Each structure stands twice: as structure tokens, then as C-alpha cells.
Amino acid sequence: MRFARVVPVAVAAFAASVAGQATSPIEPQDFNVTAALENIGVDVEALPDPPAETSAVQRRTLTPCSLACTSLAILFGNDQLLSEGTTAYDSFTATYWSAQQGNLNPSCVFKPSKTLDVSTLVLVARLYQCPFAVKGGGHAAWAGASSIEDGITVSMENFKQINVASNKQTVDIGPGLRWIDVYLGVEKYGLSVVGGRMAPVGVPGLVLGGGLSHFSNRRGWACDNVASYELVTASGVPITVSATSYADLYWALRGGGNNFGIVTNFKLASFAQGQMWGGQRVYLETEFTKVLDAIYQFTVTGSNTDLDAAQIVTFAVAPGIGNLAFANLHYAKPIANAPVFNNWANLTAIDDTTGLRYMSGMADLLNQGAQGPGAYETWWGISLKMDRQLLQFIVDTYYAVYATTANVEQILFIMAIQPVTEGAMKAMQKNGGNAVGLNPAKGPYFILNFNAAWTVAADEAKFHHAINTIIKTVKAEAKRRGLDNDFVYLNYASEYQDPIGSYGAANKARLSSISKKYDPTQVFQYLQPAGFKLVKGAPNPNPP
Ligand SMILES: Cc1cc2nc3c(=O)[nH]c(=O)nc-3n(C[C@H](O)[C@H](O)[C@H](O)COP(=O)(O)OP(=O)(O)OC[C@H]3O[C@@H](n4cnc5c(N)ncnc54)[C@H](O)[C@@H]3O)c2cc1C
Ligand SMILES: *[C@@H]1O[C@H](CO)[C@@H](O)[C@H](O)[C@H]1NC(C)=O
Ligand SMILES: *[C@@H]1O[C@H](CO)[C@@H](O)[C@H](O)[C@H]1NC(C)=O
């Protein structure tokens, strides 16, 4: 076997060709993958011959990945290419948050360490027509969201940059980071960013699908606070995507998930942030009427009076204690019990962790007691218009259906209510708006999401059936009352849901035309089947 490493000279040539636009991100009809690989310094002669031309239909069923994996091993060696049957491979698949994702067996795992490696990967996958999946923090729950059976799993774990700009307005963040790393990194500079609320969750999936944050009421979602992306396109060309450079792609990346390319850097808007106030209060069922009043008031009026405030309320059952509500209240300034939370002031909590902490401390706190990787997991989400009576109906429906699963061994089965405030929707409109299609004139909305976790693989259908039953019942009632809403949050969607379709026909059509412009052979639709695709509705249209 000959070794054909990507030589430094070729790297320089690559950079020059990109700078000179010799390689356009919009590929010509006669785009030649072999020539493109040679252009970036890959000695294609040293790689196995690709199989004879496969038809578009064949390439969706064939998985000719041993050639692609062999090629990556030749080019990158064993540090960056993990083969099935090795301990490194096994410990990699164990890093997925859900067992369903970790149970898939890719032909190999590739760990690019720089943008050029990502370009090489895309072109090698195209050369051999081997499907791939891209993994960031691995927190998407369903099998095939960021993992793949028989293809190449591309792990972004080596992209760990945290570079604060000298003017402190932006920070370059690598897609291999978890949110805890990001907060700890930027807090040294007195800064924070709009990002995830639990320590171990990954950066890229959360940002590309939206990104609900404690700071969203003032600043919008994480995707609304990206100054620019470095994106490797279908032709392997890295481009900088911003409001002024490839503006159509910039809009599409704000909610469009993994449909447009592989992101190697997020330049996030940063802001001065010291300690904040927040934490969790736990309430018994005797307080539920007041809890629902408080959720309602915060969403329709309170959140408008003070953009620094955030609220999430989760319902659960604690064996031996009963039904519980967990209110997570956060405030961006170091002020305890700001007036915006007055509706929460007179409730009796059985536990209260509110206090002053940095965002990193909040992210650790919220993660305390959370289950680590490896359980069977499911997440589902819908959105509805806020209404006090509907809240009661939802809580009653959840507990009634929950009771039907009481005898199934489980780690948890919870439901959360999160407002999509008018402030957040207003902030989503900056820099041309995002792709998710929420109309600020029609809100406020709330996202209702479910997470179940269990240990016995065969119980999956029971939890899927229970959650689907709650959602069908709640949506029918909401429809009857004129409170239903289409939007499905991509980062909470199950494989039975269609978040991209929920953005509305016009937005979906616009996303599709942008996809065809930059990815004419639809690499990120067919060759990268992982995730929620433009060309497909729900990954699995038949919920149990
Ligand atoms: C415990 C927990 C807490 C959560 N908290 C929040 C929260 O506070 N706010 C919120 O909004 N959501 C939250 N979520 C949902 C979260 O946003 C999703 O799980 C998200 O997918 C996590 O991103 P990841 O990088 O870890 O996921 P992954 O599973 O690695 O990836 C998710 C998707 O992104 C794609 N992708 C990954 N990297 C790249 C890349 N570099 N380029 C292109 N595509 C890529 C993958 O292919 C996949 O389709 C939470 C989830 C969990 C399990
Ligand atoms: C593609 O490029 C390679 C290498 O430059 C060349 O050998 C091959 O003939 C080209 N294929 C086509 C169809 O032009
Ligand atoms: C909370 O209780 C105090 C004292 O009983 C009362 O004055 C106040 O109006 C109550 N606040 C709310 C929001 O109910």
C-alpha cells in the first residue's frame, strides 16, 4: 500500500485556488471529483479505483464504503480513521448520548482535524459514492440523526477552537466543542454567547437547528447570533457565509440543519456578561394551578416587560413523591427575584437552587442528575399558541397517558413547556431573518417537548406510542380551539416528525432551491442521509 499524504505544498495551492475563486462553490455540470481531489493535493493514483458508474437509484442502496474507508486510512492513518472491531471505534460509538445512535455500526469513523480534511472527506465520499453522517456533540436522540449504519461517520471532535476577536464582538467556535467548554472559554474575557443550557450538549447541532437559550428573549436563538459560518460545500470548497456573503445560504443555515454542508467554524456574536441569576424550583402538585398561571403570565405579558428573563417548566413523576413541576427561571443580570418573576414569588417550592452564577455554572447545575450517555432516549416537540385552559388540558393529558406506562421500566418520561416569546421572535428577524417561519405577529407560542429514557431496547414502541398519543390528543384539542401551530423545533423532533416541512411551503421551497444551487447533485440529501432532509418528510412516517 502506498502512502499518499496531503502534502503542505498542496495545502498552499488549495488556499490559493480558493482565494482566486478557481474553485467555485457552485459546481459546473461537468464537475470532476477526481480532478477536484487532485486540486487539493490528494494523490488519487495511490487510492483504490472507484467502482464503475453507479446509477442514482443504486447509490441510495449500495454502500461501497470499504474503498472509501481504505482511502481515508491511506491518506490519514489510524489516528484519524477508526476501523470497525477496534477499541477506539467502540469507545467512539459509546460517546453518543442515546443508545439508538450508538448502536449503529459505521464502516469507519473519520476524524478530520482541519478544514482541508473535511474537503477531502466530501470528495472521497463522492468518488466512491459512500454515504456519511456528521457528528458534533452527538446529542440528537434518534438512530441516524448523526450516525450511520455501514457508511462513514465523520466526527468533528478535533475542531475545538475558541478564538475571541480583539474587539470582543465575536468569537470563533469549533463544532467539536460542548457548551460547557464554550462558556468557560469566553467567560475568561467577561463574555458570553447565545447557546445551549446544559453542559455536555454539542455546539453544531444546536446552532444549526435553532438553539434555545436563556438569552433568547432579548437576542433570539443561537442561529440568529452567528456572524458567519465556515462551510464546506458539496464540491469540497470552504466558503465564509454571512449576511453579506452568500446571503441566501446564510438564511438557510439559520434553522436548515445539516442540509447545506459541513460547518467547520461558527463565528458567534459575543456580549459582555458577568454573573446571572437563576436555578430550579420544585413544586408539588398542590401548587400546579399557580404554576400554570405563572407559565401563562410570563409568556403573554411578563416576558415583554423584561427581555432579560427566561423560563422553562418541566413536569414529571417522582416515584414515592408524586407529580412534580420543575421551574427553571433565569435572569441575565445578577439580580435575584426580579419583578418579572413576581408570579412565581408566592408559590411554595420543596427545593430551590436559584442563585448567582456564571452561565457555565448554570449549565453545570441544569445538568446535575441528568442521565449520561447510553440510555435509550426519545425526544419529540410541537409548538402551540399560549392559552391558559390549553395548559391545563396538556398537563391532564400528559399525566393520564403517563399512567399507562407506569409498569414499563423507565429512567424518566418528562414534558417541558418553553415560551417562544415575542421578544425572541422579534430578535429572530435581524440580518434577514431565519428559516423556521415563526411569525411574531401571531405569537406568543410555546414549545411543548417530551423526553423519555429507558433501558430495555424492546420498550421503545411503548414510549413512542405514549408520546405520540399525547401529541395527537393535544393537537386535536388545540385545533378545535384555534391554538394549533405547525412549527416543529428541529432539535427536539423525533424521527416521526418533519421539522423542515413545518417551516411552511414557501420557506421549504426557498430552502430547496438554495440546496440545488450549491449542491446540484444533492450530496447532502442522498450521500449524507443522516438528519432531517429537505427531500424527505419525516425520516420514519409511521409512528407506533
Ligand atoms: C440533555 C440535552 C439538553 C439540551 N438542551 C438544549 C437547549 O438548551 N437548547 C436547545 O435548543 N436544544 C437543546 N437540546 C437539543 C439539542 O439542540 C440537539 O440535541 C442537538 O442536535 C445537539 O447538537 P449536537 O451537536 O450535540 O448533536 P449531533 O447529534 O452531533 O448533531 C445533530 C445534527 O447536526 C448535524 N451536524 C453536527 N455537526 C455538524 C457540522 N459540523 N456541520 C453540519 N451539520 C452538523 C448532524 O449531522 C445532525 O443531523 C438538548 C438536548 C439534550 C439531549
Ligand atoms: C476527471 O479528471 C481526471 C484527473 O484529472 C481525468 O483523468 C479524467 O479523465 C477526468 N474525467 C472526465 C470525465 O473528464
Ligand atoms: C404575593 O403575596 C403577597 C403577600 O401575601 C401579596 O401582597 C402579593 O400581591 C402576592 N403576589 C402575587 C403576584 O400574587
Side-chain angles (χ1 to χ4, degrees), residues 96-97 101 133-142 144-147 154 156 175-179 195-198 200-214 231 257-259 261-264 266 312 366-367 370-371 377 379 418 451 489-492 528 530-533:
Y96 283 97
W97 185 66
Q101 288 238 80
V134 178
K135 174 182 180 279
H139 272 66
W142 54 277
S146 53
S147 60
V154 183
M156 301 304 289
L177 293 167
R178 311 298 177 117
W179 287 105
R197 298 162 300 196
M198 284 173 78
V201 177
V203 166
L206 185 137
V207 177
L208 288 165
L212 316 183
S213 142
H214 295 319
L231 180 77
N258 68 2
N259 283 291
I262 301 177
V263 175
T264 48
F266 295 92
I312 314 165
L366 200 54
N367 198 52
Q371 73 276 22
E377 299 277 354
W379 277 62
Q418 309 188 48
N451 171 208
Y489 180 41
L490 187 146
N491 286 337
Y492 293 165
Q528 185 207 225
F532 293 101
K533 302 284 90 170

Side-chain angles (χ1 to χ4, degrees), residues 65 68-69 72 81 106-111 121 124-125 128 130-134 146-155 527:
C65 290
C69 289
L72 293 169
L81 200 279
S107 304
C108 58
V109 176
F110 177 53
K111 299 183 180 183
L121 171 275
V124 166
Y128 298 103
C130 167
F132 61 94
V134 178
S146 53
S147 60
I148 191 165
E149 187 71 26
D150 293 336
I152 303 166
T153 294
V154 183
S155 171
L527 210 52

